[in-house]
Amino acid sequence: MDWQSIFSEALQQGLGPVAAVYCLAAIGLNVHFGYTGLLNFGQAGFMAVGGYAVSSFVATWGLPFWLGSLAGLFAAGVLALLLGVPTLRLRADYLAIVTIAAAEIIRQTIGSVTLLTYFGGQDGLQGFSSSFANLNPFSGPVGIPGVVTWRPYDFWTLLVCWVLAALCCLMVWALMRSPWGRVLKGIREDEDAVRSLGKNVYAYKMQSLMIGGLIGGLAGIMSALQHSAINPSFFATDTTFFAYTVLLVGGAARVLGPVAGTIVFWFLISFLDLFFGQATSGTNPLIPDWLMNSNQASLVRFIFMGAALMLLMVYRPQGIFGDRRELAIDAR
Amino acid sequence: MPADEVTDPVTAKQVRSSAGATAMPPETAPARPQVDVSAARAALRDVPHEPGAPKPDPIVVVDGVRRTFGGLTAVDVAHLEIQRGVITGLIGPNGAGKTTFFNLMTGFDRPDEGDWSFNGTSLKGIPAYRVARRGMVRTFQLTKVLSKLTVLENMRVGATGQHGERLLRAMFAPFWRKQETSNTTKADALLERFLLIKKREDFAGSLSGGQRKLLEMARALMADPELVMLDEPMAGVNPALKQSLLGHVKSLRDDGRTVLFVEHDMDMVRDISDWVIVMAQGKVIAEGPPDSVMGDQRVIDAYLGSHHDQDISEDMEDKIIAQAQAEIDDDNSSTAPADVEGEHRA
Ligand SMILES: Nc1ncnc2c1ncn2[C@@H]1O[C@H](COP(=O)(O)OP(=O)(O)O)[C@@H](O)[C@H]1O
Ligand SMILES: [Mg+2]
């Protein structure tokens, strides 16, 4: 058992570009769910429109990369508007239904044969990230030698992602300590009470949906750049639920909740993968073949991850950063 | 004096709306029209004790408002006026439609038909948040505190015209810090008055039922409303506290505000109301000063016809019991006692 390589690779994942993309997605959900109480189950849809806008602008239409990125953000904002207008006046569960359906509709539409020439069907698109890659100042592995290192392009994307995540966290912090954020939290608690005090609840919910959606769009753009490719499987429903998991592990309605959540989540999941992988390989594996073989090893991590989440919810339901006092209050 | 009162609201509203446009901090907002309480009460002396009686200076006028739920007519008010500057009690048995009436007036529900106005402008189709901004703020029968916000934060939400509630300015504290400080001072003064100052930093969700009522009322006052509508403000409030709460409600009137409140505690209604409106089965069935209304035959009938689980004052209770006894006696005299016994045996 090579503990050093397990730790090193798990750390590489925990701080890596995938984790950083999920951090962005979860920051968006934190604005929606954590602060405003909006149940957006379609964050993958916001990511998809962001990612596909930038990749199709560049790969299909040959437009500049920066224009594609702007289009990605714009598309995510428009999606928020489209989803919000019919649902935000209704009860909270309608938004949940509409967002989860919309995300799936977007994914199926983008992957359809009819739009093959624009979005590349199930194979998706490639060759749109060269402008971004050209900006990469790094060559050769980056990191702390012997502890953790990344390939230059991976490090470039994770750096950009984490900087964006830091900026988003800063914005969320600034907003949520303000009277505007207080109204949002009030809406989460009881929107009629807030309405009775003269606040336009619908407008606030729309603003929240758009801000969280824009951050989701940003996550989608970074996800496409990080893979230098895009296809519909990136944006399946489990993407949204991983982002929710990240948020709840870290602690909802905490500025740094998504950051801590994503590092812990991706560290653990790759740690378990590597551990079981090593424990079932070789001539004399640690775990005997009749109990678990190397094919099963990569799936077992999800079972353990699920169990770990259950334990977390039982013993620390507020997440890593959450405030236990808040939980003591029953939502009357 | 009465002439002043009629023109007052108009000018007051103009000042108010211009204040909204330039978004002046609340502490410099223009004062409410100062209504002379004794004059306002005196004006009620000549008002006939009839449902829908016209008032000399109404702040709210209701015309033909009806709300049905399926086959049930919850509210059906032909005409109603609420006098400015006084405390009006709204009573009636459970299910009379008082809460529904509040919801309709404040834009939380829409009537099937009818129109109503506040300060002379129609509120029909106006969303709830705009109604509140115009100066008509309500509380809820089932309290709505923001549980995971502190008591102080609850109060601050109540303040109007906050620069920091606009998205673009919110990110930069210098835009709103000063206003926040003055709102906090105001909130602290109100919390002091409502005996919640010790709970300032606690989550509102940790308050008792009575404290939540107090917080909701104090929070409504943060908006400096012209008309305060309280739905059962005393329900669940500790009797020792009730007396001081009564004082607060009266002081609202002395501040020049108009108060409309729903209450089942008849002693309280008698103690603080200048005028009482009685609803039953969605209709206004009687109006008048407390004493005249509580002796009104229609009111006694209304309570008698309903479930008899209300807190009613003793003399009213006596009357109702006497009335019930008379009816029972009537029944008994028309039915042979033997028959009754026979039914029991069967
Ligand atoms: N949302 C609703 N749906 C159906 N019926 C309702 C609704 N709200 C109130 N009602 C009915 O309207 C009547 C008046 O209720 P309400 O206004 O709460 O009475 P009060 O506050 O005077 O006790 C009751 O019969 C009640 O059952
Ligand atoms: Mg009621």
Side-chain angles (χ1 to χ4, degrees), chain B residues 190-198 214 241 244 248:
Chain B
L190 279 166
L191 287 176
E192 191 93 51
R193 193 163 138 195
F194 283 83
L195 308 177
L196 286 170
I197 195 73
K198 285 206 188 92
L214 292 174
L241 222 59
S244 77
H248 295 323

Side-chain angles (χ1 to χ4, degrees), chain A residues 171 174-175 177-180 182-183 185-186 189-190 192-193 195-200 204 326 329 332, chain B residues 108 129 132-133 144 146-148 153 156-157 159 162 164-165 167 170-171 173 176-177 180 203 212 219:
Chain A
M171 181 183 75
L175 283 174
R177 69 175 182 150
S178 78
W180 184 86
R182 189 164 59 214
V183 174
K185 290 178 224 162
E189 298 301 310
D190 192 323
D192 272 345
R195 206 171 267 133
S196 79
L197 297 169
K199 320 291 175 201
N200 185 354
Y204 281 100
E326 281 189 11
I329 296 162
R332 265 180 291 183
Chain B
F108 279 85
Y129 76 93
R133 284 187 194 172
K144 293 188 182 295
L146 309 171
S147 301
K148 287 183 189 168
E153 292 274 82
R156 284 171 174 159
V157 174
Q162 298 188 46
E165 286 183 353
L167 179 55
M171 266 184 273
W176 46 264
R177 191 161 279 143
E180 187 87 340
F203 283 123
R212 286 168 192 230
R219 191 179 63 191

Side-chain angles (χ1 to χ4, degrees), chain A residues 11-21 150 154 158 161-162:
Chain A
L11 199 59
Q12 194 189 40
Q13 287 298 310
L15 299 172
V18 177
V21 165
W150 289 275
D154 280 348
L158 82 82
C161 268
W162 282 121

Side-chain angles (χ1 to χ4, degrees), chain B residues 94-95 97-100 141 231-232 262 264:
Chain B
N94 285 328
K98 305 179 295 291
T99 298
T100 308
Q141 177 171 1
D231 200 346
E232 307 203 7
V262 171
H264 283 307

